[in-house]
Amino acid sequence: MAEKVLVLLGTKKGAFIAESNAARQSWKLRGPFCETWPMNHVVADQSTGTIWGAGGNEWFGPAVWKSTDLGETWTHSSEGLAYAEGEEPIKAVWSLAKGNGSLYAGVQPAGLFRSDDSGQSWQHIDGLQQHPSRPHWNPGGAGLILHSLVLDPDDQDRIWIGISAAGVFYTGDGGATWEPRNLGTRADFMPEGENYPEFGQCVHNLVMAPGMPDRLYQQNHCGMYRSDDGGKRWVSIEKGLPSTFGFPAAAHPRDPETLYLVPLNGDSAGRYVPDAKAAVWRTRNGGREWQAMRNGLPQENAYIGVLRQAMATDRLDPAGVYFGTSSGALFASADEGESWVNVTQHLPAILSVETLVVD
């Protein structure tokens, strides 16, 4: 039985940890950690409890922080987190993923690194930079960032990534070669007749369904999509949602048909929840139908946004669901989204939310 649940928060001013027991009825907040560096993504190894934080900016440079005692103490390293001399310097680490004995890091400008020693040193996976489309990648609003890292839990050579605004790319050989996987996803900002390019889409978030490595869900700048063949083809699942625009997506820990979203009102209409009424939208059938979950969420003057990595689930039963806002509030549900509580507010802008269940 779970002893406690940790919600790991990356913010513009360090990492924070919200902690509760398995009931998830009351919470204690710890932090800020990582010397208040901007922390874009904080993740954990569910098997060992090790926590890593991806951070940095133009002033600090890139680094990955690490804690082996549930956040009590931290160290950091940037060894190897650099491109070749003469190339544009790395500004920050934007995403992390642990799997198959390695730790992966996505950086800005977009590139992929791997560590085989738990984040102490890094090697550049340069096959991605060598893709022929690379000279034509354009930055999204936050820059040219590799923000989504999806690893096949059963095959260490299969990796999917999301880059704003280059799209989804896939490797089946551990990163030596890559191919774009964007068929069926729109790019409404492109000239008429060029709305479905091979690459250049502004993917916002990419997640894998549990137990089905070839089922992927994608929140895009221009719609919500599902793929059942590893991204070779995408189908729209936005019907029934209040908007085609949003950033985060979170998969249920056991049910591949269940997904959670926080749609926003559009890219040029303020980027807050529609009608300023907060809701998490849930599907129980792979996106064919959607339901707004509002119980406990603010329904008046809620001009909040939720960023691309700021939503997660835990592995308990019933599953917990969590999201953090760009105005520094964390909301939690201990019943799969049926009801919500405000865990904390007035934090720095929350950039990422992940969970760790300690047995």
Side-chain angles (χ1 to χ4, degrees), residues 142-306:
L144 186 62
I145 59 174
L146 197 165
H147 54 68
S148 290
L149 272 168
V150 177
L151 312 180
D152 188 328
D154 303 318
D155 186 342
Q156 63 182 358
D157 290 330
R158 300 216 308 164
I159 304 171
W160 293 261
I161 61 171
I163 298 174
S164 294
V168 174
F169 286 77
Y170 165 80
T171 179
D173 54 19
T177 61
W178 296 81
E179 62 182 69
R181 290 205 166 176
N182 301 292
L183 183 63
T185 56
R186 302 190 311 275
D188 292 340
F189 44 82
M190 301 288 280
E192 187 175 353
E194 302 177 21
N195 302 124
Y196 289 88
E198 182 184 15
F199 64 90
Q201 287 87 342
C202 190
V203 54
H204 283 176
N205 193 269
L206 185 68
V207 297
M208 178 181 287
M212 295 179 64
D214 280 322
R215 170 168 286 188
L216 304 172
Y217 294 102
Q218 176 188 162
Q219 173 67 71
N220 194 284
H221 191 104
C222 306
M224 184 65 210
Y225 301 91
R226 188 190 75 235
S227 174
D228 293 322
D229 56 9
K232 293 178 182 178
R233 181 179 295 272
W234 296 88
V235 296
S236 171
I237 56 171
E238 62 201 49
K239 184 179 179 180
L241 291 170
S243 167
T244 61
F245 182 87
F247 286 99
H252 190 278
R254 290 171 297 277
D255 181 7
E257 297 288 306
T258 298
L259 185 77
Y260 298 89
L261 303 178
V262 181
L264 303 182
N265 64 348
D267 60 352
S268 59
R271 300 192 178 199
Y272 53 81
V273 291
D275 302 319
K277 298 178 179 180
V280 171
W281 289 74
R282 184 182 69 189
T283 178
R284 291 291 201 186
N285 53 16
R288 290 181 288 276
E289 298 171 298
W290 296 92
Q291 178 185 8
M293 319 301 290
R294 301 181 183 273
N295 185 19
L297 296 176
Q299 298 300 295
E300 185 178 5
N301 297 324
Y303 296 97
I304 61 175
V306 182

Side-chain angles (χ1 to χ4, degrees), residues 47-58:
S47 62
T48 67
T50 300
I51 301 171
W52 294 276
N57 59 16
E58 294 91 333

Side-chain angles (χ1 to χ4, degrees), residues 183 347 351:
L183 183 63
L347 292 180
L351 306 178

Side-chain angles (χ1 to χ4, degrees), residues 15-28:
F16 291 79
I17 298 176
E19 186 175 310
S20 182
N21 60 20
R24 297 162 292 179
Q25 297 302 308
S26 63
W27 295 86
K28 175 184 176 183

Side-chain angles (χ1 to χ4, degrees), residues 9 18 27 29 325 328-331 341-347 350:
L9 307 176
W27 295 86
L29 186 70
T325 73
L330 174 66
F331 292 90
V341 296
N342 183 193
V343 172
T344 188
Q345 52 189 336
H346 309 311
L347 292 180
I350 297 174

